[in-house]
Amino acid sequence: MHVLEIENLHARYGHHEVLKGVTLRVDRGEWFCLLGPNGVGKSTLLHCIAGRLEAASGAVRISGESLATAAAAAKSNLGYAGAPDFLPGLLTGRQCLEVYALAKGLDAIDTEVLELADALRFTPFLDGFVDTYSLGTRQKLCVLLALLGEPELVVLDEAFNGLDPRSALVLKRALHERLSAKRCGILLATHSLDIVEHHADAAALLLDGVIAERWSNDDIERLRALGGDALEAALASAAASV
Amino acid sequence: MLVMVLRSVVLRWLAATVVALLASSNAGVTLEQSLTLTALLAAGGVAGAAIGGWLALRSNKTRRESSRYTRRFKSVSSMRPSAAALSRWPIAQALAWARPENSRLLLLVAILTVPAGIGPIAAVGMLASWAIVSYLGALLVAAPLVARAATDWLRSTPISFSAFAWPFARRQLLHQLGGTFVGVGVMVMAGAEPLTATYVGAVWLALVALVTAISLADCYRARSPLAKITLSLVAVLFAEQREHGWGIALAVLLTALYLRGGRRHACA
């Protein structure tokens, strides 16, 4: 089952069209990586999925619910970790979790999320104000907020950027645990080919507002089997051919 | 640390003793009075050092880095979904703006407005009025800015307008109400007619309600509230100038309409 379906999505900032007909799907249990150079529209696409930017045309469905016509139902299945800049600097990490849990309509804060906070060594920062956090600590908070309430679609925007290697490993394992139990699907916008190489089930290259190339699980497995810089070479070749 | 504290206390006590002894050489002060003063200073120093040291050691145990600009809120032992922090956010923003580097300028302006020759109580009353007005003003300005930041942050969640708006507005409106009551009281004590002071307070509260409602409704719908706030304030003040009470009535009507518009919007 698809946890995310995007069909012919167009989005613009003023007169500048950033997304020019994007179509993609993410299945439950799938780790989907969205690649692309800076400024091609990766974050814009994620903003459209999160409802932060209204699409000019096209459709976004989260777990079958249309973001345009049933926004509340669609968003209740979404966990979105955007840029840490949007976190409220004048609240503490604990307050952020409490408010976000209320906004998601939860009765309690998931024990699993609190355990992950502990594993990420975020707990000592819970009562510190967000504006005193480092980039990595903010990223951890973003991810914890995204995982609240057992979302079926987890959308991560450069979520591993700024994380120390240990925390990145803890997070990757936690995400894999959710994926292997088919509890969610993950869409990750990233520049890190290491994550694609070792963790992704599918990937796509976004260039100039369109999906320029796609790699299925079989394609990625084939590139992995080739070893060396096969994946990087494939990406470079895809980018050059557009 | 203990050595540093003790050294500081002893040095201060010695300085005070020298001053006391010098004072005793004055014809008007007896040696007994000087010694009493020295003993009291020593006792105060020891007690102060003990309390200060205890507080410093105590805060070291629980110290975590906090914001430079806002006071820390009391943390709860168990975490549960709550909108309490949402209602504190605008207040935290207003307090953040009141950081010393901004407040000192305001204080300077306030001091310059105090006329020469008035009594100390009147002067302090004037400075207090400045403090109240600046806080209420900062809180009003914080409403649209923080509403924008909060809705941007919560945009990807299914939070409803009422679940967002009431917790967000509740505490700041209470502060506005309390501050306005105090302000009206100060105006009356300063010689204003009670009716006039109450009228000014009512106009202020109507404007606060209007600005807050527009901020909440428009930010929830991902629109900028600034043009609407400007036009509404101009309309309300114009109506109020034409006839006392009309502006207040218009503000109440617009507040209700904007809140209704926000509530009808399905999801942020």
Side-chain angles (χ1 to χ4, degrees):
Chain A
M1 180 198 169
H2 304 307
V3 288
L4 174 67
E5 297 167 270
I6 298 175
E7 279 173 22
N8 198 25
L9 192 74
H10 290 255
R12 57 171 62 99
Y13 291 111
H15 294 296
H16 176 54
E17 189 170 33
V18 181
L19 299 179
K20 302 165 184 169
V22 172
T23 298
L24 67 84
R25 287 179 178 77
V26 178
D27 290 333
R28 187 181 287 273
E30 182 179 61
W31 186 322
F32 191 105
C33 281
L34 186 65
L35 300 161
N38 296 325
V40 294
K42 296 192 299 295
S43 293
T44 302
L45 178 59
L46 301 197
H47 284 181
C48 287
I49 297 167
R52 304 183 70 167
L53 178 68
E54 204 171 326
S57 64
V60 176
R61 278 187 293 277
I62 300 169
S63 297
E65 303 286 356
S66 165
L67 197 60
T69 56
K75 287 179 181 179
S76 62
N77 292 313
L78 170 69
Y80 173 69
D85 310 349
F86 287 101
L87 288 173
L90 295 173
L91 302 190
T92 65
R94 182 188 298 269
Q95 290 172 330
C96 288
L97 285 163
E98 289 176 346
V99 171
Y100 220 75
L102 179 102
K104 284 190 165 187
L106 306 182
D107 295 325
I109 293 174
D110 316 22
T111 318
E112 195 182 348
V113 170
L114 295 178
E115 284 170 359
L116 178 61
D118 217 27
L120 289 171
R121 295 181 180 163
F122 179 75
T123 314
F125 296 95
L126 268 177
D127 291 316
F129 286 96
V130 171
D131 66 358
T132 64
Y133 288 178
S134 67
L135 172 64
T137 310
R138 287 176 191 228
Q139 289 284 20
K140 289 175 190 176
L141 179 58
C142 285
V143 172
L144 293 172
L145 293 173
L147 295 179
L148 277 174
E150 195 68 25
E152 293 186 7
L153 171 66
V154 178
V155 176
L156 306 170
D157 192 357
E158 301 276 3
F160 293 93
N161 185 19
L163 286 191
D164 60 90
R166 184 194 161 278
S167 299
L169 181 65
V170 167
L171 181 58
K172 284 170 192 168
R173 284 180 178 164
L175 293 175
H176 267 300
E177 213 170 283
R178 286 176 179 247
L179 289 173
S180 56
K182 300 266 183 201
R183 288 160 59 191
C184 67
I186 294 172
L187 173 63
L188 169 72
T190 184
H191 292 293
S192 171
L193 296 183
D194 158 66
I195 291 175
V196 183
E197 213 161 353
H198 295 102
H199 302 281
D201 299 306
L205 176 68
L206 189 68
L207 282 178
D208 292 331
V210 291
I211 300 287
E213 184 74 57
R214 291 166 197 273
W215 292 273
S216 66
N217 198 12
D218 293 340
D219 297 332
I220 292 175
E221 287 294 342
R222 189 167 45 77
L223 290 168
R224 277 176 192 148
L226 288 174
D229 61 354
L231 188 65
E232 276 181 79
L235 280 168
S237 148
S241 65
V242 175
Chain B
M1 185 177 149
L2 189 65
V3 174
M4 282 173 66
V5 170
L6 283 176
R7 195 175 60 181
S8 168
V9 169
V10 169
L11 283 174
R12 279 154 207 261
W13 180 73
L14 279 175
T17 307
V18 169
V19 171
L21 288 173
L22 285 175
S24 73
S25 66
N26 191 316
V29 183
T30 63
L31 183 64
E32 193 183 341
Q33 283 174 325
S34 290
L35 290 175
T36 309
L37 181 64
T38 309
L40 284 173
L41 283 169
V46 169
I51 293 168
W54 177 73
L55 284 173
L57 290 171
R58 183 173 160 267
S59 66
N60 260 349
K61 281 181 191 167
T62 55
R63 183 184 291 170
R64 288 195 183 91
E65 198 177 2
S66 60
S67 168
R68 288 179 294 155
Y69 302 134
T70 59
R71 64 192 168 87
R72 284 174 55 87
F73 298 118
K74 203 183 288 178
S75 62
V76 290
S77 54
S78 62
M79 236 193 291
R80 57 186 179 279
S82 162
L86 201 57
S87 64
R88 286 182 182 134
W89 191 350
I91 292 155
Q93 182 61 69
L95 291 175
W97 284 333
R99 58 189 184 265
E101 54 262 46
N102 295 337
S103 298
R104 66 184 176 183
L105 293 173
L106 185 74
L107 187 65
L108 188 66
V109 173
I111 288 171
L112 289 174
T113 61
V114 177
I118 66 166
I121 293 178
V124 169
M126 276 194 74
L127 294 180
S129 306
W130 267 98
I132 292 168
V133 168
S134 64
Y135 176 63
L136 296 185
L139 212 49
L140 186 67
V141 175
L145 297 178
V146 178
R148 179 70 176 269
T151 48
D152 276 352
W153 177 48
L154 297 173
R155 185 77 60 205
S156 62
T157 68
I159 191 167
S160 67
F161 179 71
S162 50
F164 167 71
W166 175 237
F168 182 87
R170 187 183 59 207
R171 194 177 285 252
Q172 58 166 316
L173 289 180
L174 271 176
H175 279 226
Q176 288 282 5
L177 196 63
T180 306
F181 272 128
V182 174
V184 167
V186 169
M187 283 170 70
V188 171
M189 282 185 351
E193 287 286 323
L195 205 61
T196 310
T198 309
Y199 167 73
V200 171
V203 171
W204 173 255
L205 287 177
L207 295 179
V208 165
L210 179 61
V211 170
T212 308
I214 298 172
S215 305
L216 288 169
D218 274 9
C219 292
Y220 185 77
R221 291 184 287 190
R223 295 173 187 169
S224 170
L226 293 181
K228 223 176 266 183
I229 287 175
T230 309
L231 289 174
S232 300
L233 287 182
V234 168
V236 166
L237 291 174
F238 179 73
E240 194 58 36
Q241 203 178 19
R242 293 291 299 269
E243 187 70 47
H244 278 359
W246 283 18
I248 295 175
L250 180 62
V252 171
L253 179 70
L254 288 174
T255 300
L257 285 174
Y258 285 128
L259 288 177
R260 188 161 160 261
R263 213 168 39 237
R264 286 170 66 179
H265 195 75
C267 181

